[in-house]
Every structure is written in C-alpha cells, then in structure tokens.
Amino acid sequence: MARVLSGIQPSGDLHLGNYFGAVRNWVNDQTTKDAFFCVVDLHALTNTPDPEELRRQSIQLTSLLLAAGIDPLQSTLFLQSHVPSHQQLAWILECTATYGELRRMTQFKDKGGDQETVRVGLFTYPVLMASDILLYQADEVPVGDDQRQHLELTRELAQRFNNRYGQIFKVPNATIPAVGARVMDLQHPERKMSKSVASPLGTIGLLDAPSEIEKKVKKAVTDTDDMVRFDPQLKPGIANLLSLLAAATDGDPKVLADSYQRYGDLKRDTSEALVAILTPLQERYEEFQRDPAQVLAILKLGAEKARSVAEVTYASAADAVGLIAP
Ligand code: AQP
C-alpha cells in the first residue's frame, strides 16, 4: 500500500485553497493508502504567533480536519511537535542543504526573504518540511501547486543524502490535483488565496457563514469584457470562479464556461455550490468543538503511531552520518 504524508499549518483559518488544494484529497487518499497527516505547529512558529492563539489554532485545525472527513481510524493524524524526530532529522538535513538552494525558494522570497530582519526559521522552513516527509518514507505527498518547489527540494535532499550515505530515504512524489491546485484570492486573482496574507474579502474560510460566502463571491473581482471564458492569464477572476465551481461540483472549468453567459449567474451558482459543501462540514466541526478532550485524545494516539515510524527512520539516518545511538 502506498504511503502518503502531508501537513498543514495552524497559522490561521483554513480557506478553500487549503481545502481543494490539499485536505479534500487527503480524505480521498485515506481509504486506499497508508495515510499520515500532520498539523505542522513548528512551521507556524515562523509567523511568531501569540502562544495562546497557536494552541487554539492547533486544536481548531485538528477539529476542522476531522470535520472535513479525516478519519483517525484510517489515518494517522498528529501534531508535528509531538514527534521530536522532525527537529532531529531537520538538523541533519540542514547539513545536507545549501544556502543557495534555500535562498532560491519563492515562498521564502514572497514572505520577506529580502528583509534584514527575516527569521532563520523562515529560511530553513523547507528543510523542516523535507524532514516531515522523509521520516515517514512517504511515496506520495498530496499538496497544492504552491508546494511544488519545496517538494523538489525534498527529493533533491533525499537523493543527495542517499548518494552519500546509502539508501536511507524513499524519494517521494508530489501529487497535485487537476482542479483546485491553485485557488486564487477573490480580490487579487493574480495571487493565491492565503491564510496569513490579510485579504478579508478575497479569502473564503471554511467556517464562513453562507451570507459571507455569498457576499465575497458577489464582490469577487472580474473584468469588463462580459464573456465567460476559462482563461487564467487574461481573465484570472472569472477563471478562478470557474475553477471553484468545478472543484465544488467535480466538473471541468472549461466545460462549465460554456454554460454561462452572465457573470451574475456564474457567481450565484458558485456561491450556492460552495455553501452546499461547507454547511455539512461546519455542522460536524461544531460537534468536535464541543469535545476538545476527544480531539486531544486523537492527537495523542496519532503521535504514538507517528513516533513509532519516525524514530526508526531517524535512527537509520543518524547512524548513517556517524552519530552514536544513545
Ligand atoms: N491557494 C491555494 N490553492 C491551493 N492549495 C493551497 N494550499 C495553500 N494555499 C492554497 C495548500 O494547502 C496545504 C496547506 O498549506 P500550509 O498550511 O502548509 O501553508 P501554505 O501552503 O503556505 O498555505 P497558506 O494558506 O498560504 O498559509 P500561510 O499563509 O500560513 O503560508 C498545502 O498543501 C498547500 O499547497
């Protein structure tokens, strides 16, 4: 059975990009694959969150993943900081990666890599991510398109390490969905929808009320030529709405474009389709919110299972580089 691993940061409210780009595919994967899903709280520290807020977000995100359909009986769901091997292997991989290749990461550059006060954690983030993946000997990593470059780096580090020290790591493949891989901001359709970039009208959160969803879709930026066509380059706003409708209805954005003449109709159907997907998810979320002890118990069990896999890989890597086992 192929093993999949993916992670998500508790760095803000989950949005449709996280859902269509990643989480929904995780739910599908768990029935046929050996699935590990990780709430990457150590990565969230790169945003220097308020401590109470980080704790709250970690529980909220876990509840949302459960509400979205991650089943702890099928998947191993855990918090990254509960498995110390992530940080231990990250150091070994930092001694494998080069300054030049980390400096070229576009996410680092986008998040302020050129500033004098940039934190080292933001710079080394992709190495910790490589550690998250390689520890589990994952075959596949289901992610959105924005993570493609980080996945390439993970593969490169695994190959470099294996060439030098022997076959320690499986070299994983990214699996990127055909539709929903890059959900764009509704107000700035040239940039991706994001948790940490403030764009209240441009981002649809998984917990947004139906009236908010309707308002945001209605106000979504389009263009003036009044023709519904799927053309992400020339008509990014309309292409984004078509992609969202396609993702929500399992359709094809190019085919859907032929059924619409007016932007208003496309917007109405898009918001209705999104509300239909999000309402049941929100109801399940409320149930988990009422029982945080259950959520913590799921994370505890998940961490035990994750540790049993991660510690074996870490021990092999540590031995390979010449560290003495305790
Ligand atoms: N706009 C997006 N479209 C499709 N997929 C997306 N993902 C993120 N944004 C989009 C996918 O969601 C998964 C989890 O992402 P993350 O929490 O690790 O952080 P990120 O990729 O940096 O996403 P955000 O929302 O922009 O968070 P912040 O603002 O905190 O950095 C990943 O698989 C990602 O591809």
Side-chain angles (χ1 to χ4, degrees):
M1 200 190 259
R3 178 170 289 164
V4 295
L5 176 129
S6 201
I8 189 156
Q9 289 190 69
S11 54
D13 296 338
L14 276 207
H15 53 73
L16 285 175
N18 301 128
Y19 183 68
F20 289 131
V23 175
R24 190 170 65 162
N25 308 304
W26 300 3
V27 174
N28 293 335
D29 277 346
Q30 69 182 350
T31 53
T32 52
K33 295 170 186 165
D34 181 19
F36 286 74
F37 300 121
C38 182
V39 172
V40 289
D41 51 350
L42 297 171
H43 284 284
L45 290 177
T46 56
N47 304 311
T48 51
D50 171 74
E52 269 317 309
E53 187 56 15
L54 177 58
R55 273 186 274 273
R56 193 190 67 77
Q57 296 272 13
S58 298
I59 300 297
Q60 189 202 53
L61 174 54
T62 308
S63 306
L64 263 175
L65 294 176
L66 293 165
I70 299 296
D71 174 357
L73 296 176
Q74 291 186 309
S75 297
T76 303
L77 178 62
F78 64 103
L79 271 184
Q80 183 188 29
S81 63
H82 287 179
V83 184
S85 310
H86 288 244
Q87 293 159 79
Q88 292 174 296
L89 182 63
W91 177 251
I92 292 180
L93 294 175
E94 279 181 33
C95 296
T96 307
T98 68
Y99 173 72
E101 62 195 349
L102 295 192
R103 207 182 42 187
R104 284 195 290 278
M105 294 292 120
T106 46
Q107 191 153 315
F108 172 65
K109 290 194 262 184
D110 289 348
K111 290 192 172 178
D114 54 348
Q115 288 165 25
E116 194 52 33
T117 53
V118 65
R119 288 192 174 74
V120 175
L122 192 64
F123 185 62
T124 56
Y125 177 115
V127 182
L128 181 57
M129 181 170 157
S131 168
D132 301 336
I133 296 165
L134 298 179
L135 276 175
Y136 297 90
Q137 307 287 5
D139 299 283
E140 296 171 15
V141 186
V143 283
D145 189 57
D146 60 322
Q147 294 296 334
R148 199 184 283 273
Q149 194 188 27
H150 288 164
L151 247 294
E152 267 314 307
L153 177 75
T154 299
R155 289 168 54 81
E156 171 62 34
L157 294 181
Q159 278 156 351
R160 192 177 305 157
F161 189 97
N162 288 347
N163 286 342
R164 170 129 196 235
Y165 298 108
Q167 224 32 54
I168 302 292
F169 301 124
K170 191 168 266 182
V171 181
N173 289 308
T175 47
I176 295 176
V179 176
R182 189 170 277 267
V183 174
M184 310 309 274
D185 186 294
L186 295 176
Q187 289 296 310
H188 302 276
E190 68 293 343
R191 72 178 191 219
K192 71 163 193 162
M193 198 176 273
S194 174
K195 289 191 228 93
S196 57
V197 176
S199 180
L201 268 181
T203 306
I204 295 185
L206 298 194
L207 296 176
D208 281 0
S211 58
E212 283 176 89
I213 296 172
E214 201 185 319
K215 182 176 96 187
K216 289 176 184 178
V217 173
K218 218 178 223 167
K219 288 186 182 277
V221 166
T222 53
D223 51 56
T224 50
D225 87 351
D226 250 353
M227 288 238 317
V228 179
R229 247 183 324 117
F230 184 72
D231 186 339
Q233 244 72 52
L234 295 179
K235 296 170 72 66
I238 290 295
N240 195 32
L241 289 172
L242 285 165
S243 296
L244 283 173
L245 179 60
T249 58
D250 284 330
D252 178 325
K254 292 193 200 89
V255 175
L256 282 170
D258 295 337
S259 349
Y260 290 95
Q261 262 83 51
R262 290 153 32 123
Y263 289 0
D265 295 342
L266 171 62
K267 286 184 166 181
R268 184 203 56 225
D269 287 1
T270 303
S271 60
E272 279 177 13
L274 295 175
V275 169
I277 285 210
L278 294 184
T279 302
L281 186 152
Q282 292 173 358
E283 286 164 5
R284 285 193 297 273
Y285 171 76
E286 285 309 320
E287 286 167 29
F288 286 109
Q289 275 298 91
R290 281 194 286 274
D291 194 358
Q294 187 198 356
V295 175
L296 285 170
I298 289 170
L299 285 174
K300 187 164 183 280
L301 267 179
E304 280 163 19
K305 192 158 166 231
R307 275 198 296 268
S308 71
V309 176
E311 283 170 3
V312 173
T313 307
Y314 174 70
S316 308
D319 180 59
V321 298
L323 303 178
I324 296 171

